[in-house]
Amino acid sequence: MFATEKFTDPEAAYARVLEIYERNTSILRDAFRKFSSGAALEQRVRACYPFVRITTEKTAHTDTRQSFGFVAGPGCYETTLTRPALFRNYLLSQFKLVLENHQVPLEIGVSDLPIPVHFAFPEGIHVEGSLDPEHLRSLPDVFDLPDLAAMDDRIVNGTYEVDNGAWRDGVHPLALFTGPRVDYSLHRLRHYTATSPDQFQRYVLFTNYAFYVDEFVRLGRKLMEPTDDPQERAYRQQYVAFVEPGNVTTWSANQEGGGAQPASGVAPARQPQMPAYHLQRADGSGITLINIGVGPSNAKTVTDHVAVLRPHGWLMLGHCAGLSASQRMGDYVLAHAYVRDDHVLDDDLPLWVPIPALAEVQLALQDAVASITQLKGYELKRIMRTGTVASVDDRNWELRDHRLPLLRFSQSRAIALDMESATVAANGFRFRVPYGTLLCVSDKPLHGEIKLPGMANSFYEQRVAQHLQIGIRALELLRTNGIEQLHSRKLRSFAEPAFR
């Protein structure tokens, strides 16, 4: 057993977390292998998550420019941790900030929160798949199974405050997500996207059309090819690999030391529900693109799970209906406000909560449009308009009596309509992930320009490549500007967990 110990060195604290996690999950894996092979286990097998805790008696005097890395006031703060190898850089950075800001040691130990046996297999081994019916029935008697009560979103929703504002037994949360909540989402991500959580990058593009995927795949593969152009080679060298569903990996041929490694991975027999593609950098700060499909439910599902990876930002790139007569097919809409008619987050984030535009993201998107289109200043208004985007949950809203929704859209000054953007932005706000939206007008149903096959195909050919290039450029600008500016205090309340 591991006794709780205090650490003032982040590397040593991380090493102890890793040691506890590896030991406890190996106990579960070894026991399950015996169990699945028919061996009789004489007693229940249980192993628990590692935890990190700090106790402070005074309010820290922190750098007021920071949006995270400190607790709200005196008290005891704790969280359980999982997959430390995956989150190494994240944990080290959070440990370092807390130690610097509070000058108290980190306490590392074993919690009383059991690790479900399913989550002890990080690569998604289907535990039940190898069991006969008798062993399957007895599984809950021998191992802990996932408990939904241990992985709710009360912390991120800010609804945990009971018992004088404490979370559990007088202890406040140190992070937005507990170990089980993170594990649950990591396994869901693998299921939905057909790529390992290890492949995900810290800047994310969401799209609702496969055309963007096709263009991203074409671009990703091209960036892995060798080039003799010095300027182009310098750009390509920042990306080390391109990963597709099934963890199919194409390695860059532009890295120092020779040509590309052989491709690896196996493409899935069929496409996953939300395929993900990863343009990777060595430090994990590359770009992931996910085709979330159509609708607010999909948008919520994928962002619920991507959020546990603590990305530095995500953007929605998609198509929309233009509501203004002055808009043209192919024009861009930079969202600065949202009408939330999507409903999927109403119970988690009340409608009275504003979803603010984030200046850092807005400027990056505007600069990216100007850079790619070579239009500046007043001329940029020819193809891009900033305004309110309305997101609805009924794709065929125009087939009903739409006088009331049109009145609401008009009063809100909405200039574009889609089904995902408000959900993606609202979940970014809820999870403290910087967010933004750049849409492209693909039809104008109020003005007789509906999306028909011939018109749509021409539109896709002309605009998808440029739109995707703008999204990539915007994320690269955000990365260049630095995460200190990107992680805005606008997304943090007055009583936040210390971990970003």
Side-chain angles (χ1 to χ4, degrees):
M1 295 294 294
F2 291 92
T4 299
E5 292 190 37
K6 295 182 178 181
F7 297 86
T8 56
D9 175 37
E11 290 278 1
Y14 168 80
R16 177 53 56 89
V17 171
L18 180 63
E19 184 181 8
I20 293 172
Y21 179 81
E22 293 297 338
R23 175 186 178 275
N24 286 3
T25 52
S26 67
I27 290 173
L28 293 174
R29 290 192 295 269
D30 291 344
F32 180 78
R33 292 188 184 101
K34 294 177 182 177
F35 176 78
S36 61
S37 65
L41 301 183
E42 297 180 357
Q43 59 185 4
R44 186 176 186 84
V45 180
R46 169 169 287 175
C48 295
Y49 287 98
F51 74 79
V52 57
R53 175 198 301 145
I54 71 163
T55 303
T56 179
E57 297 179 354
K58 58 183 180 180
T59 301
H61 298 285
T62 62
D63 184 342
T64 58
R65 296 169 298 178
Q66 291 180 343
S67 63
F68 59 92
F70 53 91
V71 300
C76 181
Y77 298 80
E78 180 181 307
T79 189
T80 50
L81 302 171
T82 190
R83 299 290 298 277
L86 174 62
F87 290 100
R88 182 180 187 277
N89 292 338
Y90 170 77
L91 291 176
L92 285 173
S93 65
Q94 306 312 300
F95 289 178
K96 182 173 182 290
L97 281 173
V98 170
L99 286 167
E100 289 176 350
N101 285 326
H102 293 283
Q103 299 297 308
V104 295
L106 300 172
E107 298 177 65
I108 307 294
V110 181
S111 73
D112 59 1
L113 190 59
I115 303 174
V117 67
H118 301 68
F119 298 162
F121 294 87
E123 290 308 309
I125 293 177
H126 298 287
V127 171
E128 293 91 342
S130 59
L131 300 180
D132 58 47
E134 181 179 351
H135 279 77
L136 190 58
R137 284 191 297 270
S138 62
L139 185 65
D141 299 325
V142 181
F143 297 98
D144 290 290
L145 305 186
D147 178 8
L148 291 180
M151 59 183 75
D152 63 49
D153 275 343
R154 288 183 300 145
I155 301 175
V156 296
N157 290 345
T159 57
Y160 68 87
E161 294 186 321
V162 294
D163 187 19
N164 295 320
W167 177 38
R168 291 176 177 165
D169 300 324
V171 178
H172 304 273
L174 189 61
L176 293 169
F177 301 105
T178 62
R181 172 65 170 84
V182 173
D183 273 332
Y184 172 73
S185 282
L186 295 180
H187 282 71
R188 290 286 82 199
L189 275 178
R190 186 179 182 90
H191 169 75
Y192 284 121
T193 69
T195 53
S196 168
D198 302 74
Q199 308 289 4
F200 279 74
Q201 302 295 286
R202 295 299 173 260
Y203 295 87
V204 183
L205 291 174
F206 297 113
T207 187
N208 53 6
Y209 278 94
F211 299 95
Y212 290 84
V213 171
D214 295 341
E215 182 62 22
F216 193 69
V217 170
R218 185 196 68 77
L219 176 63
R221 292 174 177 173
K222 180 180 178 180
L223 290 177
M224 299 303 104
E225 296 174 355
T227 178
D228 295 327
D229 183 277
Q231 186 174 357
E232 178 63 20
R233 181 179 176 83
Y235 176 75
R236 294 187 186 188
Q237 281 181 332
Q238 67 179 307
Y239 296 110
V240 299
F242 182 65
V243 181
E244 303 175 48
N247 297 319
V248 175
T249 304
T250 304
W251 301 94
S252 172
N254 295 290
Q255 302 305 305
E256 299 296 337
Q261 306 173 43
S264 59
V266 179
R270 61 183 63 87
Q271 279 286 72
Q273 184 176 346
M274 300 181 196
Y277 303 79
H278 314 279
L279 189 55
Q280 296 185 330
R281 285 169 58 100
D283 61 358
S285 66
I287 297 171
T288 286
L289 179 137
I290 306 174
N291 181 7
I292 64 178
V294 176
S297 180
N298 278 5
K300 179 183 184 298
T301 295
V302 71
T303 49
D304 279 349
H305 300 318
V306 172
V308 305
L309 294 170
R310 307 317 295 145
H312 293 313
W314 61 41
L315 303 178
M316 178 67 201
L317 297 185
H319 300 158
C320 66
L323 301 180
S324 172
S326 64
Q327 291 172 298
R328 299 171 300 178
M329 298 275 284
D331 281 357
Y332 295 115
V333 173
L334 175 58
H336 75 174
Y338 301 89
V339 173
R340 294 171 54 198
D341 245 358
D342 46 359
H343 302 301
V344 296
L345 280 169
D346 291 0
D347 291 335
D348 294 295
L349 192 68
L351 286 172
W352 53 260
V353 176
I355 309 299
L358 304 182
E360 299 82 1
V361 180
Q362 299 296 96
L363 289 173
L365 281 167
Q366 179 175 288
D367 290 347
V369 175
S371 173
I372 298 299
T373 64
Q374 295 296 296
L375 296 174
K376 297 181 180 179
Y378 193 62
E379 287 300 305
L380 196 59
K381 291 179 178 287
R382 293 184 182 276
I383 64 164
M384 186 182 77
R385 182 168 173 178
T386 301
T388 299
V389 171
S391 292
V392 298
D393 58 3
D394 180 6
R395 175 60 186 86
N396 297 318
W397 62 274
E398 62 263 53
L399 301 182
R400 303 172 61 189
D401 183 351
H402 49 263
R403 286 172 292 181
L404 181 58
L406 287 186
L407 175 62
R408 295 177 62 198
F409 298 153
S410 176
Q411 290 176 320
S412 68
R413 310 298 191 267
I415 60 170
L417 186 73
D418 80 342
M419 299 185 70
E420 300 86 21
S421 293
T423 313
V424 171
N427 244 4
F429 179 88
R430 187 165 75 102
F431 292 125
R432 291 74 161 172
V433 176
Y435 53 85
T437 300
L438 184 71
L439 302 177
C440 193
V441 176
S442 61
D443 60 328
K444 296 173 60 181
L446 302 184
H447 309 283
E449 296 184 46
I450 60 176
K451 193 182 297 181
L452 298 174
M455 185 187 305
N457 289 339
S458 175
F459 162 76
Y460 296 142
E461 292 172 2
Q462 295 173 8
R463 270 292 184 259
V464 166
Q466 184 184 77
H467 195 187
L468 180 64
Q469 289 171 8
I470 291 169
I472 292 173
R473 179 66 57 86
L475 291 180
E476 291 175 339
L477 288 172
L478 291 174
R479 183 176 63 217
T480 300
N481 293 338
I483 62 172
E484 293 81 8
Q485 296 187 37
L486 180 56
H487 291 291
S488 172
R489 291 174 292 181
K490 292 188 286 290
L491 298 182
R492 312 285 290 187
S493 77
F494 46 80
E496 285 283 294
F499 286 11
R500 178 181 65 78

